[in-house]
């Protein structure tokens, strides 16, 4: 607990602004003012550095670029390996674990130690890893690095501790899973094939033990050679030389025959009695052509041969289609008896696996499902029904259904919002799924005690919005909204608008959501904003459309006096905010047909439409083309339900819309906002003169601007040289700096009338953003694309100042204000903060009739770098929320006795404390620094330079441990937290050393010490920076391993059980152990002990704990064997007593008989 006291007696703090010469913080319009009244701020800060720790919590979505698949048939858990070295382990809903190999090498193959709680991974760097799954966060126990050979295939027989490893050279090595040491037993390729063979058989592509005899190992080589190796006598039983390359092999459970898939699209069946030739060759998809030849087919990459007790066996394979039809989708073929079913997939098949009832390979397999891993999806097919329906996937594998372009994260939502979104979203769910339960049902997960409602919103390239329930570290889709439904379908050949339309005209750039009022705003790439209201009823509505234009003419440099006479037209029924700009109201909201190119990018539906329950579009705002130039993308947005106002800005201007009266209140360029209070000495420029003064629209926006995620996550302009740069209009390869633009840069890059300005909307996975220049070599080599000039000269005349963040709230627009009033806080790319006071009618009837008036700009505050975030605290340090309107259903039936009234919730700064009197604290964070101002005196209480060498990408004031702090994410990968209001550094962790564009654009903080970002184009990574949540994380995660009895093998009669199995008992230890096989060459493979700490029983750690654990396991196993021995002894005693009894009876019966009487 620390107390921070600061006596504000004439205190003003200067902001070091480089060569810009920024004015004093405590001044308006850059001139010092009289000292504020002495006042004492007494804030008790409770947060300390011990409250913070950074760790990953859970990863959602589909594993990016998957490579391998494995399933534990007893534990019923699934593992998926990826090209980046990640492993996802999935069980029942809630059981979802992500592991990452430190090397980052691609995972080639996965092998479960069935029912042992362990997993072997083989990676592309020729390393084997053993993962312990008996803890909630799996860890590597052992690693084995092959030095001279490349791993191509692995096979671990059920209940064996010896792993067979095939290599590229054609050799087969054997690894002890317990010690992870290589055995001296090696099957060399030249011993496996005949000496007379002149060519190398190729890499090992298959290894499996015979179901009939574990001592026989079937080795498949790529060239088409198959060898059955007798492990006991160390020689080949038979060799098969086939002239087509082999891709996979599948055994019949009796071990008498097997099936191979080949590169020519054929399947061959082989019988062990006669291996000279296959007894059956089929081309499942090869038709006989007119000339009698088979048409050529694609390779069958994998085949599985699974038997059934009461029906024909299943033959399941991928590939094998004929080459004749180009563009055919990837297929999985299921042959069951004479029936052949071809399942077409949306994406290429990476791997598939049949799920069977038994883990034993020598029993009837009884497959019940097929897991199919596609490049971008995971599906499970039900084999128990003749039409082979798919199971409904309980995991959120479709986040990337359309590329994610923005994210938003809301913790501690109103508790009723999740059920109502789910109930509406459930009505639109797909049908036709299998009625059976999801078969991957392993592990255990319980709802932890530390849960609260959380919602994640994702915006997508196709204009869709998805609401996800993210409570309790799970993710479940609630509701999907398609923003494209507000518009007519774009048609080709419609002049200028058609040039704009490419593949993704509706791509979402940012969202703004008020959970309390349920007002939802979407900003799209075509410079449009859609405002939605939530209703539980369907309705017939007509969407209101507003069109806005503001275009600055950079060539016209005029004097300030001339600029005063330039019109700023406002919407009919509204007042111009500045008295000298009063003009007659315009007749309508659309521009006359005569104005060249004065059209929006998209056409809003202008008819009555039936809208279903859920979010219903009420208002669409679009920026217009002006003189052949496209509207510039919107960079900032805020909406306030209590005020009924929506504000947005971009490169050149700001607009405020009254969405209740459907009018434009304010639409001005950034320069016009300053008036005489411009802190920079620059020549003003006129807005482009309107061709027809009768136009009812005002002008807005010029230069292309980097988009941001929900109130500007990324820097938006060159605050050094003042250039706005585009993330998309100037693409360049990563790592290569763009050519620095000189003072004439914007003029040179302006598009001509005939050139389409938009390209395909990119997902957040590949979007670029313009970022500041760094003066260190290390950051120049960072993965960011640089687009800023290194010049630090004074601001030139072509400065384009973007609106980077906006915030409505109750504040003091001027120093002389005695009471707080509704204000709009405006932050720009040059580090300037403007306050715009507003007058809003309070009565409900007046609110719909009387206009909202906006006063001239009040305070002007200064920071270094683009302004990113505003937040407000009372004088006790508590967070002040913006006022909001309590949600009411706009389509609910009217009750004449109880007319509906707007219910507003206000958080006035003056009502939250008595000791400090009036006033509140304003927290302002920019790319470079954070400041805390006291309002209304505008005194700067605290300032902290967050970073000098990098810049802040995202900043938020969030609640953690019953207090608040400022959380920042920097471009160099650092995550920081600062105390409030004193801005003490509490945490600074270098979390992501190389931050890419996707992370930069999707990173967002929320309350409760949580954050998220898009870790790949298909996955969301959630992290926590709260020590409390890190401590509780073990409780929240699911258990991967649950103690289950291994099912007993079938057909074990009394004699077999009594004498310990069949005659072919195979002791691998005797063959592969050091005593028999000797030690392997040290240079062949290197053992690397794992780093992970262990919990649970099967521990392979060093020291006493490991020895005790091993002793305990050995005792358990010994006790189990003793129990079995006791049972067998009891059986023997019973049998002996029965024999004795029969012998005694026979003796009594025969005792008096003579020998000749028998």
């Amino acid at each position: 607990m620390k107390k921070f006291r600061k006596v504000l007696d004439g205190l003003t703090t200067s902001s070091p602004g480089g060569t810009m010469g920024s004015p004093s913080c405590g001044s308006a319009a850059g001139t010092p003012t009289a000292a504020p009244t002495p006042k004492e701020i007494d804030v008790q800060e409770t947060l300390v550095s011990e409250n913070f720790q950074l760790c990953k919590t859970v990863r959602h979505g589909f594993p990016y670029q998957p490579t391998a698949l494995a399933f534990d048939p007893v534990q019923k858990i699934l593992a998926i390996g990826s090209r980046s070295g990640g492993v996802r382990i999935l069980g029942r809903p809630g059981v979802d674990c992500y592991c990452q190999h430190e090397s980052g090498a691609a995972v080639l193959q996965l092998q479960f130690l069935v029912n042992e709680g362990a997993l072997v991974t083989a990676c592309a760097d020729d390393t084997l890893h053993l993962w312990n799954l008996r803890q909630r966060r799996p860890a590597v126990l052992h690693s084995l690095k092959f030095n001279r050979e490349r791993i191509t295939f692995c096979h671990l027989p059920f209940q064996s501790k010896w792993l067979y490893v095939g290599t590229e050279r054609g050799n087969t090595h054997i690894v002890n899973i317990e010690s992870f040491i290589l055995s001296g037993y090696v099957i060399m390729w030249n011993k496996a094939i005949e000496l007379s063979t002149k060519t190398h058989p190729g890499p090992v592509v298959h290894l499996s033990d015979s179901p009939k005899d574990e001592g026989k190992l079937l080795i498949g080589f790529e060239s088409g050679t198959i060898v059955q190796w007798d492990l006991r006598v160390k020689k080949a039983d038979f060799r098969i030389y086939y002239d087509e390359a082999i891709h996979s092999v599948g055994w019949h459970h009796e071990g008498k025959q097997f099936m191979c898939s080949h590169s020519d699209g054929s399947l061959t069946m082989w019988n062990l009695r006669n291996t000279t030739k296959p007894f059956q060759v089929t081309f499942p998809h090869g038709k006989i052509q007119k000339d009698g030849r088979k048409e050529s087919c694609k390779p069958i990459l994998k085949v599985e041969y699974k038997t059934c007790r009461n029906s024909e066996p299943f033959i399941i394979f991928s590939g094998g289609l004929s080459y004749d039809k180009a563009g055919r989708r990837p297929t999985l073929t299921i042959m069951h008896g004479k029936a052949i079913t071809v399942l077409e997939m949306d994406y290429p098949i990476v791997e598939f696996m049949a799920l069977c009832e038994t883990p034993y390979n020598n029993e009837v397999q009884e497959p019940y499902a097929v897991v199919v891993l596609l490049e971008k999806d995971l599906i499970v097919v039900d084999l128990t029904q003749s039409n082979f329906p798919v199971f409904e996937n309980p995991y959120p594998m479709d986040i990337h259904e359309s590329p994610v372009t923005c994210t938003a994260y809301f913790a501690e939502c109103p508790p009723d919002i999740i059920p109502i979104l789910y109930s509406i979203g459930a009505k639109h769910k797909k049908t036709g799924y299998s009625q059976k339960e999801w078969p991957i049902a392993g592990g255990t997960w319980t709802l932890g005690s530390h849960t609260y409602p959380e919602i994640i919103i994702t915006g997508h390239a196709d204009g869709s919005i998805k609401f996800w329930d993210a409570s309790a570290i799970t993710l479940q889709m609630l509701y999907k909204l398609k923003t494209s439904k507000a518009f007519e379908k774009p048609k080709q050949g419609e002049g200028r608008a058609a040039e704009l339309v490419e593949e993704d005209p509706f791509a979402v750039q940012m969202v703004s959501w008020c959970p309390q009022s349920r007002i939802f705003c979407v900003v799209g790439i075509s410079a449009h904003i859609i405002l939605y209201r939530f209703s539980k009823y369907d309705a017939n509505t007509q969407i209101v459309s507003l069109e806005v234009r503001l275009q600055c003419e950079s060539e016209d440099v005029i004097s300030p006096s001339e600029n005063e006479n330039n019109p700023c037209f406002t919407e009919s029924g509204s007042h111009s905010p500045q008295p000298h700009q009063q003009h007659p109201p315009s007749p309508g909201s659309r521009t006359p047909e005569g104005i060249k190119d004065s059209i929006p990018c998209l056409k809003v539906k202008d008819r009555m439409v039936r809208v279903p329950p859920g979010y219903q579009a009420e208002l669409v705002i679009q920026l217009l083309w002006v003189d052949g130039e496209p509207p510039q993308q919107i960079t900032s947005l805020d909406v306030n339900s209590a005020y009924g106002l929506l504000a947005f800005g971009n490169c050149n201007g700001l607009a405020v819309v009254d969405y209740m009266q459907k009018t434009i209140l304010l639409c001005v360029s950034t320069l016009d906002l300053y008036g005489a209070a411009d802190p920079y000495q620059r020549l003003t420029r006129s807005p482009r003169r309107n061709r027809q003064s009768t136009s009812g629209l005002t002008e807005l926006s010029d230069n292309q601007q980097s988009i941001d995620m929900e109130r500007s996550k990324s820097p938006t302009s060159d605050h050094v040289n003042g250039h706005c740069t585009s993330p998309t209009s100037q693409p360049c390869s990563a790592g290569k700096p763009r050519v620095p633009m000189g003072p004439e840069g914007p003029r040179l890059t302006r598009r001509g009338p005939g050139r389409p300005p938009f390209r395909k909307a990119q997902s957040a996975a590949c979007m670029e953003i313009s970022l500041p220049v760094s003066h260190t070599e290390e950051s120049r080599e960072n993965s960011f694309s640089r687009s800023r000039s290194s010049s630090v000269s004074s601001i030139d005349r072509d400065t384009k100042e973007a609106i980077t963040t906006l915030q409505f709230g109750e504040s003091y627009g001027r120093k002389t204000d005695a009471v707080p009033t509704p204000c709009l806080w405006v932050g720009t790319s040059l580090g300037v903060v403007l306050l715009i006071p507003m007058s809003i009618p309070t009565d409900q009837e007046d609110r719909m009739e009387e206009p909202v008036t906006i006063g001239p700009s009040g305070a002007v505050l200064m920071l270094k770098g683009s302004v990113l975030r505003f937040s407000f605290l009372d004088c006790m340090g508590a967070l002040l929320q913006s006022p909001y309107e309590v949600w009411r259903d706009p389509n609910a039936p009217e009750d004449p006795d109880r007319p509906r009234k707007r219910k507003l919730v206000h958080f006035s700064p003056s009502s939250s404390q008595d000791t400090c009197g009036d006033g509140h604290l304003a927290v302002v964070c920019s790319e470079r620094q954070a400041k805390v101002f006291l309002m209304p005196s505008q005194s700067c209480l605290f300032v902290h330079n967050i970073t000098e060498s990098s810049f802040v990408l995202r900043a938020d004031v969030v609640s953690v441990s019953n207090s608040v702090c400022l959380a920042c994410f920097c471009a160099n990968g650092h995550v920081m937290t600062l105390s409030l209001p004193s801005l003490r550094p509490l945490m600074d962790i270098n979390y992501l050393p190389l931050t890419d564009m996707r992370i930069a654009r999707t990173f967002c903080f929320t309350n409760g010490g949580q954050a998220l970002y898009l870790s790949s184009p298909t996955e969301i990574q959630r992290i926590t920076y709260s020590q409390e949540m890190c401590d509780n994380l073990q409780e929240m995660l699911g258990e991967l391993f649950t103690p289950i009895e291994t099912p007993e093998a079938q057909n074990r009669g009394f004699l077999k059980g009594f004498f310990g199995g069949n005659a072919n008992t195979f002791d691998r230890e005797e063959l592969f152990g050091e005593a028999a096989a000797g030690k392997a060459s040290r240079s062949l493979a290197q053992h690397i002990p794992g780093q992970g700490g262990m919990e649970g029983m099967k521990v392979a750690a060093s020291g006493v704990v490991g020895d005790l654990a091993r002793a305990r396991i050995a005792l358990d196993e010994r006790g189990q064997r003793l129990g079995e021995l006791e049972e067998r002894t009891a059986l023997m005693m019973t049998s002996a007593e029965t024999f004795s009894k029969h012998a005694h009876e026979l003796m009594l019966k025969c005792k008096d008989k003579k020998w000749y009487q028998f």
Side-chain angles (χ1 to χ4, degrees), residues 742-975:
E744 302 301 311
R747 224 173 274 166
L748 296 173
T749 57
R750 293 174 70 123
R751 292 189 183 85
R755 187 176 171 194
F758 276 70
R759 71 283 160 257
K760 178 181 176 183
Q762 300 176 16
S763 71
C766 59
M767 277 187 178
E768 295 180 82
I769 54 174
S770 46
L771 303 167
V773 150
S774 169
H775 301 290
T776 63
E777 283 298 320
E778 179 184 349
S779 54
R780 268 196 214 106
E781 293 170 7
N782 202 345
S783 57
F784 286 110
S785 300
R786 304 292 178 185
S787 62
R788 301 190 175 188
S789 169
S790 58
S791 165
V792 289
S793 61
S794 61
I795 292 178
D796 56 61
R797 294 184 178 184
D798 268 342
T799 297
K800 294 287 183 71
E801 188 173 6
I803 307 294
T804 55
T805 185
L806 296 163
Q807 180 77 49
F808 286 107
E810 298 283 310
S811 188
Y812 303 85
R814 296 170 185 80
K815 291 186 178 184
T816 55
D817 288 355
V819 293
T821 58
C823 286
L824 174 63
W825 286 67
V826 181
T828 77
S829 56
L830 294 182
V832 179
V833 178
L834 295 160
L835 269 74
I836 300 176
M838 299 175 293
S839 175
I840 302 173
T842 53
D843 186 81
Q844 180 170 354
E845 292 181 4
D846 291 345
R847 179 64 187 84
M848 297 306 295
E849 301 295 334
E850 293 293 321
V852 173
T853 55
I854 298 180
S857 300
V860 177
L861 311 172
M862 296 294 301
L863 286 88
K864 286 195 296 184
S866 297
V867 182
L868 299 180
R869 176 67 67 194
F870 298 121
S871 192
F872 310 116
L873 310 176
D874 64 21
C875 287
M876 302 302 292
L879 188 65
L880 284 172
Q881 293 183 12
S882 295
Y884 63 86
E885 176 188 1
V886 177
W887 175 74
R888 56 197 178 103
D889 198 321
N891 300 328
E894 289 282 353
D895 186 351
D897 299 328
R898 297 179 62 189
R900 288 184 300 161
K901 289 186 177 180
R902 296 181 73 213
K903 184 180 178 184
L904 306 182
V905 178
H906 284 269
F907 301 91
S908 175
S910 58
S911 62
S912 57
Q913 73 281 335
D914 300 319
T915 56
C916 294
D918 295 340
H920 72 90
L921 303 175
V923 182
V924 187
C925 186
S926 75
E927 287 177 341
R928 304 278 180 180
Q929 64 180 186
K931 289 186 178 182
V932 176
F933 296 95
L934 177 67
M935 304 301 290
S937 69
Q938 303 172 20
S939 302
C940 182
L941 301 186
F942 300 98
V943 59
H944 177 74
N945 291 321
I946 299 170
T947 176
E948 293 295 337
S949 60
S950 185
F951 53 94
V952 179
L953 288 168
R954 180 75 197 214
D956 280 291
V957 173
V958 291
S959 63
V960 180
S961 304
N962 299 316
S963 188
V964 290
C965 68
L966 175 64
C968 302
F969 175 60
C970 292
N972 58 9
H974 282 248
V975 178

Side-chain angles (χ1 to χ4, degrees), residues 520-830:
F520 185 58
C521 273
V522 178
V523 174
I525 200 166
S526 299
H528 64 271
I529 299 172
I530 312 174
L531 183 135
Y532 290 89
R533 285 185 186 269
F534 187 84
S535 175
K536 293 189 285 186
Y537 305 94
D538 56 0
N540 290 314
T541 62
Q542 183 167 354
I543 302 167
V544 178
S545 176
L546 288 178
E547 295 172 353
V548 178
R549 64 194 290 267
L550 179 87
Q551 195 89 355
C552 273
E553 183 61 78
S554 58
E555 284 81 357
D556 291 341
V557 180
I558 58 170
S559 66
S561 60
E562 185 182 341
N563 186 49
E564 288 177 3
N565 298 321
N566 280 313
C568 175
F569 293 105
T570 55
E571 186 64 14
S572 160
S574 66
H575 288 288
S576 175
Q578 298 177 4
H580 64 269
Q581 290 184 342
Q582 290 284 355
H583 284 274
S586 65
S589 64
R590 285 188 175 269
T591 42
E593 294 292 325
I595 293 183
K596 179 184 175 184
D597 285 337
S598 192
I599 55 171
C601 302
L602 302 170
K603 189 177 188 314
V604 180
K605 289 180 179 176
D606 55 2
R607 60 185 184 277
M608 293 291 287
V609 289
R610 187 78 174 168
V611 288
Y615 273 105
Q616 300 167 352
E618 181 177 289
L619 174 67
V620 174
I621 303 163
Q622 294 190 88
L623 301 187
L624 298 173
W625 284 67
V626 176
D627 290 347
E629 293 197 15
Q632 303 308 312
Q633 293 169 2
I634 293 161
T635 58
S636 54
L637 170 79
D638 193 35
V639 62
N640 188 281
S641 56
Y643 302 159
L645 300 179
L646 181 152
F648 63 94
N650 66 358
C651 261
N652 275 28
L654 166 71
V656 181
V657 171
D658 183 340
Y659 69 77
M660 297 181 73
Q661 295 186 22
K662 309 296 188 295
T663 58
I664 301 168
L665 298 174
L666 178 71
C667 192
V668 293
S669 68
T670 316
L671 289 177
D672 290 333
L673 280 173
Y674 289 106
D678 189 352
Y680 294 112
Q681 302 303 313
R682 55 188 160 188
L683 291 173
T684 55
R685 294 159 299 172
S686 67
R688 186 186 297 273
R689 291 174 180 79
N690 222 345
R691 303 299 162 99
Q692 294 187 16
S693 59
T694 55
S695 164
L697 297 171
T698 47
E699 303 177 340
L700 186 78
S701 185
D702 183 350
N703 207 3
Q704 187 83 353
Q705 183 50 280
S706 55
I707 320 138
D708 79 321
M709 302 288 162
E710 195 197 9
R711 302 196 197 102
S712 192
K713 283 181 207 165
S714 61
T716 51
S717 77
D718 184 351
H719 61 265
V720 179
N721 257 7
H723 296 313
C724 288
T725 52
S726 165
T728 49
S729 62
Q730 301 169 351
C732 73
S733 58
K736 295 182 181 178
R738 297 173 184 163
V739 179
M741 291 196 300
E744 302 301 311
R747 224 173 274 166
L748 296 173
T749 57
R750 293 174 70 123
R751 292 189 183 85
R755 187 176 171 194
F758 276 70
R759 71 283 160 257
K760 178 181 176 183
Q762 300 176 16
S763 71
C766 59
M767 277 187 178
E768 295 180 82
I769 54 174
S770 46
L771 303 167
V773 150
S774 169
H775 301 290
T776 63
E777 283 298 320
E778 179 184 349
S779 54
R780 268 196 214 106
E781 293 170 7
N782 202 345
S783 57
F784 286 110
S785 300
R786 304 292 178 185
S787 62
R788 301 190 175 188
S789 169
S790 58
S791 165
V792 289
S793 61
S794 61
I795 292 178
D796 56 61
R797 294 184 178 184
D798 268 342
T799 297
K800 294 287 183 71
E801 188 173 6
I803 307 294
T804 55
T805 185
L806 296 163
Q807 180 77 49
F808 286 107
E810 298 283 310
S811 188
Y812 303 85
R814 296 170 185 80
K815 291 186 178 184
T816 55
D817 288 355
V819 293
T821 58
C823 286
L824 174 63
W825 286 67
V826 181
T828 77
S829 56
L830 294 182

Side-chain angles (χ1 to χ4, degrees), residues 62 69 71 75-80 89-96 355 368-373 377-382 389-397 433-443:
F62 181 77
L69 184 69
F71 182 71
Q75 288 289 322
K76 296 196 183 306
I77 56 175
L78 185 80
I80 301 172
I89 305 169
L90 302 167
R92 67 176 67 248
V95 178
D96 186 341
L355 309 187
Y368 57 89
V370 181
V371 178
V372 188
L373 178 63
D377 203 0
L378 176 74
I379 64 169
V380 182
V381 180
D382 186 354
V390 298
F391 290 88
E392 185 175 6
N393 196 326
Y395 317 123
M397 292 289 183
Y433 293 111
S434 171
Q435 297 302 309
K436 297 200 170 183
E437 287 189 7
W438 180 251
I440 304 163

Side-chain angles (χ1 to χ4, degrees), residues 107-394:
V107 178
L108 298 179
Q109 202 175 346
L110 299 164
Q111 287 274 313
F112 274 106
L113 277 67
V114 175
N115 205 27
E116 294 289 336
L119 175 71
V120 175
T121 58
C123 294
D125 60 352
D126 307 307
T127 307
L128 297 171
H129 304 274
L130 178 66
W131 292 83
N132 173 35
L133 308 183
R134 295 190 175 220
Q135 56 190 63
R136 298 192 186 214
R137 283 185 173 271
V140 173
L141 288 173
H142 300 283
S143 298
L144 188 66
K145 167 78 173 167
F146 280 74
N147 296 322
R148 296 191 308 215
E149 298 195 50
R150 309 221 63 182
I151 298 170
T152 55
F153 195 88
C154 298
H155 171 63
L156 181 66
F158 178 48
Q159 293 183 321
S160 166
K161 68 175 185 179
W162 297 94
L163 174 74
Y164 301 117
V165 181
T167 68
E168 196 173 43
R169 290 187 183 179
N171 303 324
T172 303
H173 300 276
I174 300 168
V175 178
N176 185 317
I177 288 297
E178 289 181 350
S179 61
F180 240 57
I181 295 174
L182 211 57
S183 166
Y185 193 116
V186 185
I187 305 170
M188 302 300 288
W189 68 270
N190 54 353
K191 298 284 180 63
I193 64 171
E194 288 178 321
L195 293 173
S196 59
T197 309
K198 294 181 180 179
T199 57
H200 190 280
V204 174
V205 295
H206 178 81
L207 293 167
S208 61
D209 50 332
S210 167
K212 193 165 69 170
D213 185 355
E214 295 173 330
K216 306 290 178 73
L217 182 68
L218 195 72
I219 307 171
F221 297 94
E222 189 179 62
S223 64
T225 301
I226 301 171
V227 176
Q228 181 165 291
W229 184 263
D230 191 323
L231 294 162
R232 298 184 190 86
V233 299
K234 300 182 182 179
K235 69 174 187 178
D237 282 350
F238 62 81
R239 298 178 177 92
I240 295 171
Y241 300 98
Y242 196 67
D243 55 3
E244 286 294 338
I246 290 174
H247 285 284
S248 70
V249 179
W251 279 98
H252 188 282
H253 81 273
E254 291 176 351
K256 296 176 182 177
Q257 59 190 39
F258 59 87
M259 179 180 287
C260 299
S261 70
H262 301 279
S263 57
D264 63 346
S266 65
L267 296 172
T268 56
M269 288 280 285
W270 300 84
N271 197 307
L272 266 58
R273 290 179 181 175
N274 179 14
T275 57
T276 56
K277 64 176 184 177
F279 73 87
Q280 185 181 342
V281 180
T282 56
F283 287 80
H285 295 300
K287 297 172 185 175
I288 299 175
Q289 296 173 330
K290 291 180 181 179
D291 56 2
R293 291 187 304 171
K294 290 267 186 184
E295 61 182 349
S296 57
C297 295
K298 296 176 185 176
I300 294 178
L301 300 176
K302 183 176 181 180
V303 65
E304 293 216 345
Y305 186 22
K306 301 296 181 185
T307 51
C308 300
R309 190 170 285 105
N310 301 318
S311 66
E312 295 287 323
F314 278 95
I315 298 168
I316 307 165
F317 62 88
S318 61
L321 292 177
S322 60
Y323 280 105
D324 63 340
K325 293 182 181 176
R328 287 187 69 175
R329 294 202 290 180
T331 59
L332 183 79
T333 305
I334 302 172
M335 299 170 66
H336 190 213
K338 293 182 180 180
I340 300 179
T341 305
V342 179
L343 304 178
E344 288 193 331
M345 303 294 167
D346 292 331
Y347 307 102
I349 297 172
V350 175
E351 173 74 287
F352 74 88
M353 184 171 289
L355 309 187
C356 301
E357 296 287 353
T358 176
Y360 297 92
N361 65 347
N362 59 355
E363 295 180 357
V364 179
Q365 297 297 288
E366 291 290 349
Y368 57 89
V370 181
V371 178
V372 188
L373 178 63
L374 308 177
E375 273 189 6
K376 293 185 178 180
D377 203 0
L378 176 74
I379 64 169
V380 182
V381 180
D382 186 354
L383 292 179
T384 61
Q385 298 180 47
S386 58
N387 60 337
F388 302 130
V390 298
F391 290 88
E392 185 175 6
N393 196 326

